[in-house]
Amino acid sequence: MGKLTRLEIYNFKSYKGLHILPFGDAFFTCIVGPNGSGKSNSMDAISFVLGIKSSHLRSSHLRDLVYRGRVLKTSIINEDGSATAANGTNGDSHGDALSTQERNDPKSAYVVAVYEDDAGDEQHWKRIINNQGASEYRINNRQVTAQQYNDELERENILIKARNFLCFQGDVEQIASQSPRDLTRLIEQISGSLEFKADYERLKQVQDEAIENQNYTLNRRRGINSEIKQYQEQKREADSFSKKAEERDQAIVKHILYKLYRFQSLIEESGAEIQRHQEELKEFRRGISKYEESLEAARREQAKVSRAVGKTERSIKDKEKTIEEKENSLVPIVEKVHLTRDNMAKIQGRVSAVAKERNSKTEAIKRLNKDLKTVEKAEAQWEAEWRKIGEQEGKTLSEDDLQQFSKLREEVNKRTSSDQIKADNLARQERADEETVRSLRSTVESQEIQVTKLEEDIGDIESSSANTKAVLKSTAKEIELKKKEVNSLTSERLRVGQLRTELDEKLQQALQKLYDAEDGRKQSDKELKLRATVSDMKRMFSGVRGRVSELCTPKQKKFGDAVSTALGRNIDSIVVNDEKTAKECIAYLREQRRGEATFIPLDTISVKAINSNLKGMRGTRMAIDTIDYDKSVDRAMLYACGNAVVCDDMATAKHICYDKGIDAKAITLDGSVIHKGGLMTGGRGKEQNARRWEDSDVESLRKLADQLRDKLAALPNTRRNDMEEEKLQSELTGLEQKLVFAREEAKSFERNLADKHKELAHVRKEYATAKPKFAERQRELDQLKKDLKYYKDSIGKVEGTVFADFCKRLQIKDISVFEAQQGTLQEEASQKRLEFSQQKSRLENRVNFEQQQLSGFNDRIRGLEVRIKQEEELIQELESEKETVSDESDTLAAEVEELKSQLEEQQESLSAKSEKVGDERRELQKRSKNVENTTRAIAGLESEIQRSAADRFAVLRRCKLEDIVVPLTENSSSLDDLPVDGLLQGVDPDAMDVDEDEEHSTMGQNTVPDYGIKVDFDELDDTIKENLDDKVEDELQSKIAELEDELKTMAPNMKAIERLEGVESRLKSTEKEFEDARRKAKRAKDDFQEVKDQRFELFNKAFTHISEQIGPIYKELTRSASLPMGGQAYLDMEDTDEPYLDGIKYHAMPPLKRFRDMEHLSGGEKTMAALALLFAIHSYQPSPFFVLDEVDAALDNANVAKIANYIREHSGPGMQFIVISLKMGLFQYGETLVGIHRDQSANTSKALTLDVSPSVQLTMFGDTDFHSFESIKSEMNGHDFKNWIVY
């Protein structure tokens, strides 16, 4: 690659006229100058000539880049080189004078970049702002277009869009704080994949649309093929459908005749039986009212005692629950006491440790004071000796002697000038070598100490790691033991719980059987009990709303029967607010043994949406619309009513269910129902007498219930086991946490041990390098001292000859000793005093530091003692609270024992009352057994007649409604005379039970209307008439069901032939559309995949290179002598398949810092991370030069030196750095300095250049006049540029 050799600026921004910024052969050039001189304008000039837009050059238009004297002369120069009018009017307030000046201002400007390529040829890239304010581009004075200019720059790898050759002021902060998506876009620009973005998005949309169209046409083709197959199959099925339908109709008629014959036989037989039983019943009924009254009185006494027993049991449960809560509350108190004592022990241990450190500090202060006194004593002793020596050896010379001494000294200098120069050079070299040897000796000694220290640290870490592993083993064993104990307690608790559940289920079954056995009362009593139960639950639970029958009322009286039928079994269901209340009510019913009930929770009940087809039909309304209720129970009412429809008459109900085929439950105003399956029922059935059990069975059930209660009471109380299990679980959790901490500590020890071994190896390596170097330097120094002694001895001989008479006259033994005494005596004394002063100051500072630490230890001990006192007070409070809770638990336990004894007495009384009730019941049953048996038999026969008659009527009505032809006798009425609405009373599973009194029952009234319809059974086979059992009916029904199933599976479509032709014609056009769509989808997919692969390849290539370079570059930028490993940095893709669609995260971890997000790093750390990323990106497609504008603004001196070292090491052929900086730590390493200063007289910025490469420094300034960078900086700040080359 080439390099940028110079920059020619003409009338650009603050540069008036032509100015040349030469960069020469240097690969590291620094542009320096005071604030406001125009440094950044030179950066803008480079950016401008390389094609950057004016919006990035702090200007909105190209005209703003042309030099304007009227602004500069009347403006204040800002730090960035821009101008602001002093009077706030941008220099336009001077009227005609400024207008004249404005006419003389230049209208055009240009910048030329002179670039030397690899072959050594120069290329002149020139960009001009013409008089019209537009850009012109020229290459080697040949005018070109902007695109040609851009292409020429790209051939030299200067990418204008990616801006890979410059970094503006402030870009570093933006790079450090940019989002992952911004970083992705930056890499796309560098890689060139951004150019494929528009094609990628366009082709992706085209592909999606093509695939969607292909799928649409494919689905259409499949649908048409399916229709064709369906119509062909339907055509084949249509022929066999008619044959099967006729066979089914014959089977239905045969089955109906069988059922009618069977119903007629049952009615006749049951009527005869009823007449016989009614005669017997007259003989059995006697007066039994006295026994009934005695039984009722015994039941009332039993109920009173039972309520008292329930109340006592509830009190016992409440108190036991309170005791359990008290005992559970003791667990955290005990645990807190244990933790507090452990904490107090830890604090006491810390007090002991701090006290030990305090004592060591006290001893250290005593030693330091003793050393201080020793130093003071030594200083006084030296002062005395010094004064004594001065009195003995001090001599003075007269004026004549001094003149003679000077002449003799000049004579010696003449004779020994060459030796003197060599001795002086050797002396200077000796001092430098001694400093180097001392430094190497210090380094070797420190490395030896460091090796020893690291070996000791490794031993300590290995010892601590062994201790931690021992703790791990012991803790693991302890955890295993605790787990076994917990598992044992858990198994026991589960076993007892399972046994309790089994016994409780058996008890509930026994109690249910008892309830069924004693449910011989009338239904009205059951109703009263249900109302009382609901009332009690309302008082106890706020979420109980009431029964469905209590929460709604018919809007009109005529809807009463229909609403009762529609609600069905849900009429006595209880509505509650939520599932929790329902469970509490169920628990209450179970505890109080108040029976069973159905609950409808408003929050969880699943309500099906009302069929919209049922609304708005004439003569109908939804069942939910016929009742009034509160809106808060809307969900419960919707659930109870469902999709039931109330119709004005049976004709409307049949029209809905049969004609329209709507799947709904239709109910007429008199309570008749057409169910969803088509079955028709009506009316409300009679009350069925409950089944009664013998007295022996009831007594056995009672004994079983008592035994189960005893077993439940004998089960062990698991509360204490639960407390012990909870305590063990808490201890197990603590041990597991301890094990986790120990494992983490062991891992930490292993990591520290590995780091220490690495560090020890590194130190030993450095020691092996430094020790031979130290020995070599020491040998060189010894040889240097020998040479220096030789020259000094030679000079001494000449001095002895010249000064012989002078020394003899003044009685001076040695002239060199005399000169040393006179010249350096005071200097040695001052040096000695300074050493004593520094030693005393060091000891005093050490004493002050130790005293401050001692004061801190005292404060810590006082704070820890206060905490110990607080912990002791807390333990006392907890112990007091624990004692209070224990006393309360004991009091409650005593009350429970008293209640249990009271309960035993009440249970004995209840047993006595129950025995009395049993005796009374047995007496009553002995006298009413025959009556009950006969009454039960009559009721059963009457029910049988009613059922048979209702079933017969239902069959005949079905024949009428479904137009089934049934053979009738000659004198029979027609089926048309059968009333459809006048239904017989039958059994409706959805109708609610209605209480009726036995005295008003229709016993014996077995007359059944037949409406004059007489069926002719001659067509029925005699074998079927003789075998009226279920097997025959099952065979007939199975035959019908088989035929029905076959017909249902056929379901022919008679219009299939007509539709088949149209579907086939549609298939042909759809096939053509599908083929076109498939070709388009394939072409779109191939085009999109090609662009996608190109974009991914370019992006991934750039990302891979940058990702590989970012780590070493950041490590090199953050490396130092104390931290040779440097920091870590890496890039992370959020989407590996298509990374350009998502963000890329940049992570940087400075040395000795843990991982943190980029926004949490300091300003300097962000800058170093951003520069590392910038250099890594630049390394992908490096331009021949890199221009940086004050990238070191946020860095301290150490980081500036690192950046300077990096640039110095990487600058060279193929990589030229041009850096704008104000920091000496950076520009002192530059090979060439370009100084920018402000010439106020000419109202322009000017440039000066200084070549500070090592070879030029020696040739320009010699060995004695070398300019330090401090002098260069002072010259720059004071505008003293006499040694600089002006361009």
Side-chain angles (χ1 to χ4, degrees), residues 125-193:
W125 298 329
K126 187 175 183 179
R127 184 179 179 186
I128 305 172
I129 303 174
N130 58 24
N131 295 334
Q132 288 75 32
S135 287
E136 295 180 5
Y137 300 91
R138 295 184 182 180
I139 299 176
N140 297 328
N141 292 323
R142 178 175 54 86
Q143 188 167 357
V144 295
T145 63
Q147 183 61 42
Q148 291 173 338
Y149 194 82
N150 185 28
D151 294 340
E152 181 64 26
L153 293 177
E154 286 186 355
R155 275 193 285 272
E156 297 297 333
N157 213 18
I158 300 173
L159 307 179
I160 296 177
K161 293 182 180 179
R163 289 162 55 183
N164 67 333
F165 57 89
L166 58 85
C167 178
F168 284 115
Q169 184 176 354
D171 282 359
V172 174
E173 289 78 1
Q174 294 178 0
I175 291 172
S177 59
Q178 65 184 346
S179 65
R181 287 191 177 272
D182 292 337
L183 181 55
T184 302
R185 182 175 180 81
L186 178 61
I187 295 179
E188 275 207 281
Q189 290 176 343
I190 294 297
S191 64
S193 65

Side-chain angles (χ1 to χ4, degrees), residues 1246-1287:
K1246 290 187 176 181
L1248 304 100
T1249 302
L1250 177 64
D1251 191 344
V1252 292
S1253 60
S1255 59
V1256 175
Q1257 291 172 2
L1258 293 175
T1259 58
M1260 286 180 60
F1261 304 106
D1263 191 22
T1264 58
D1265 294 331
F1266 175 69
H1267 280 51
S1268 66
F1269 280 97
E1270 287 79 3
S1271 64
I1272 292 173
K1273 185 176 181 183
S1274 63
E1275 289 176 4
M1276 183 181 66
N1277 292 330
H1279 302 285
D1280 184 8
F1281 300 110
K1282 60 185 180 181
N1283 294 322
W1284 295 56
I1285 303 172
V1286 181
Y1287 288 89

Side-chain angles (χ1 to χ4, degrees), residues 533-547 550-551 573-578 580-586 588 599-600 602 633:
T533 301
V534 174
S535 178
D536 292 340
M537 286 192 295
K538 282 184 178 180
R539 290 196 304 272
M540 297 181 65
F541 307 104
S542 60
V544 177
R545 298 295 187 92
R547 291 186 296 168
E550 297 171 351
L551 297 174
S573 298
I574 302 171
V575 180
V576 295
N577 285 341
D578 47 36
K580 180 181 178 183
T581 304
K583 291 180 179 179
E584 291 175 350
C585 292
I586 292 171
Y588 169 77
F599 294 87
I600 302 177
L602 294 174
V633 295

Side-chain angles (χ1 to χ4, degrees), residues 342-497:
D342 291 345
N343 192 23
M344 189 171 67
K346 292 178 181 178
I347 294 173
Q348 289 174 347
R350 290 173 61 188
V351 169
S352 301
V354 173
K356 186 177 180 181
E357 292 181 2
R358 180 187 63 182
N359 294 335
S360 65
K361 290 296 179 183
T362 304
E363 293 297 328
I365 291 172
K366 290 180 180 179
R367 289 194 302 271
L368 290 172
N369 287 327
K370 185 177 179 181
D371 294 342
L372 183 60
K373 290 179 180 179
T374 303
V375 172
E376 290 174 350
K377 185 177 179 181
E379 182 182 12
Q381 185 178 356
W382 177 83
E383 288 288 348
E385 293 177 356
W386 167 253
R387 285 192 296 271
K388 185 177 179 181
I389 293 171
E391 291 173 357
Q392 292 176 357
E393 297 183 1
K395 293 181 180 180
T396 58
L397 297 177
S398 63
E399 288 293 331
D400 296 336
D401 293 337
L402 289 174
Q403 290 179 0
Q404 185 181 3
F405 177 79
S406 299
K407 292 178 180 180
L408 294 174
R409 174 51 63 190
E410 290 177 0
E411 180 67 22
V412 171
N413 290 338
K414 290 179 182 179
R415 294 183 181 182
T416 61
S417 60
S418 60
D419 291 342
Q420 188 70 42
I421 291 172
K422 293 179 180 178
D424 291 341
N425 290 334
L426 289 175
R428 284 196 299 270
Q429 188 176 356
E430 180 188 23
R431 288 193 296 272
D433 289 352
E434 284 178 348
E435 183 64 27
T436 302
V437 169
R438 280 196 298 272
S439 176
L440 289 173
R441 181 185 293 109
S442 176
T443 301
V444 171
E445 292 176 353
S446 63
Q447 288 173 349
E448 290 176 349
I449 294 172
Q450 195 172 0
V451 168
T452 305
K453 181 66 168 57
L454 287 173
E455 290 175 349
E456 293 176 356
D457 291 345
I458 289 173
D460 295 339
I461 293 173
E462 289 176 346
S463 177
S464 301
S465 177
N467 294 334
T468 303
K469 290 179 180 178
V471 172
L472 277 173
K473 291 181 180 179
S474 61
T475 305
K477 291 181 180 179
E478 194 171 354
I479 287 174
E480 290 298 325
L481 294 175
K482 293 293 182 183
K483 283 184 178 180
K484 289 181 180 178
E485 295 180 8
V486 170
N487 292 336
S488 176
L489 290 175
T490 303
S491 300
E492 179 64 19
R493 174 172 55 79
L494 293 176
R495 186 189 66 79
V496 173

Side-chain angles (χ1 to χ4, degrees), residues 12 54 61 102 133 265 268 292 352 394 568 584 624 631 682 692 737 860 880 896-897 936 945 1201 1205 1260:
F12 185 82
S54 61
H61 302 287
E102 183 178 354
S265 301
E268 292 174 357
E292 291 178 349
S352 301
E584 291 175 350
I624 190 68
K631 291 298 181 184
R692 297 181 180 273
Q737 292 178 352
R860 288 173 60 188
S880 176
V896 168
E897 293 298 329
R936 190 183 299 115
I945 291 174
N1205 288 330
M1260 286 180 60

Side-chain angles (χ1 to χ4, degrees), residues 688-900:
Q688 300 296 320
N689 290 326
R691 177 171 52 88
R692 297 181 180 273
W693 291 9
E694 296 296 333
D695 292 341
S696 58
D697 296 334
V698 174
E699 290 300 325
S700 299
L701 286 173
R702 285 178 180 164
K703 290 180 181 179
L704 178 61
D706 293 339
Q707 291 175 0
L708 292 173
R709 289 193 187 97
D710 294 338
K711 288 182 179 180
L712 283 171
L715 288 176
N717 190 356
T718 60
R719 284 177 299 176
R720 297 196 177 277
N721 289 338
D722 292 342
M723 291 174 60
E724 186 175 355
E725 183 180 354
E726 185 176 355
K727 181 179 179 182
L728 286 173
Q729 198 70 40
S730 176
E731 293 176 356
L732 182 60
T733 302
L735 289 172
E736 289 175 347
Q737 292 178 352
K738 181 180 177 181
L739 184 63
V740 171
F741 294 153
R743 286 173 178 169
E744 291 295 331
E745 189 176 6
K747 292 180 181 178
S748 176
F749 281 139
E750 291 176 359
R751 290 194 296 269
N752 291 342
L753 190 60
D755 293 341
K756 291 293 183 182
H757 279 299
K758 290 181 181 178
E759 187 176 358
L760 179 60
H762 177 71
V763 172
R764 284 176 174 170
K765 183 178 180 181
E766 290 185 348
Y767 176 73
T769 304
K771 191 171 181 181
K773 190 175 181 181
F774 166 69
E776 179 65 23
R777 286 286 186 161
Q778 185 66 46
R779 286 193 297 270
E780 292 176 357
L781 179 62
D782 293 340
Q783 182 62 37
L784 183 64
K785 286 182 177 180
K786 291 180 181 179
D787 296 341
L788 179 61
K789 187 176 182 301
Y790 169 77
Y791 287 112
K792 283 185 177 181
D793 291 343
S794 177
I795 293 169
K797 290 179 181 180
V798 176
E799 286 177 348
T801 304
V802 173
F803 282 99
D805 296 337
F806 182 78
C807 292
K808 184 176 182 182
R809 182 170 59 83
L810 294 178
Q811 298 180 357
I812 296 173
K813 296 181 180 180
D814 191 348
I815 190 64
S816 60
V817 175
F818 175 78
E819 286 180 341
Q821 288 176 352
Q822 294 297 322
T824 61
L825 197 59
Q826 294 300 327
E827 183 180 355
E828 291 178 355
S830 298
Q831 182 67 25
K832 195 67 174 179
R833 290 189 182 95
L834 179 61
E835 290 178 358
F836 280 117
S837 176
Q838 290 176 348
Q839 193 170 4
K840 288 194 297 181
S841 177
R842 185 168 61 254
L843 290 172
E844 288 172 354
N845 291 336
R846 183 70 181 276
V847 169
N848 292 333
F849 174 73
E850 296 293 343
Q851 286 178 347
Q852 290 177 358
Q853 285 198 331
L854 180 61
S855 177
F857 285 133
N858 291 330
D859 293 340
R860 288 173 60 188
I861 289 174
R862 284 193 293 271
L864 292 173
E865 289 175 349
V866 170
R867 288 184 59 187
I868 289 173
K869 186 176 179 181
Q870 292 174 351
E871 297 293 341
E872 290 176 348
E873 293 176 354
L874 178 61
I875 289 174
Q876 291 178 359
E877 293 176 0
L878 293 173
E879 290 292 346
S880 176
E881 184 178 357
K882 176 181 176 182
E883 186 177 354
T884 302
V885 173
S886 298
D887 294 340
E888 293 176 355
S889 298
D890 295 340
T891 303
L892 290 172
E895 294 177 358
V896 168
E897 293 298 329
E898 184 178 353
L899 287 173
K900 285 183 177 180

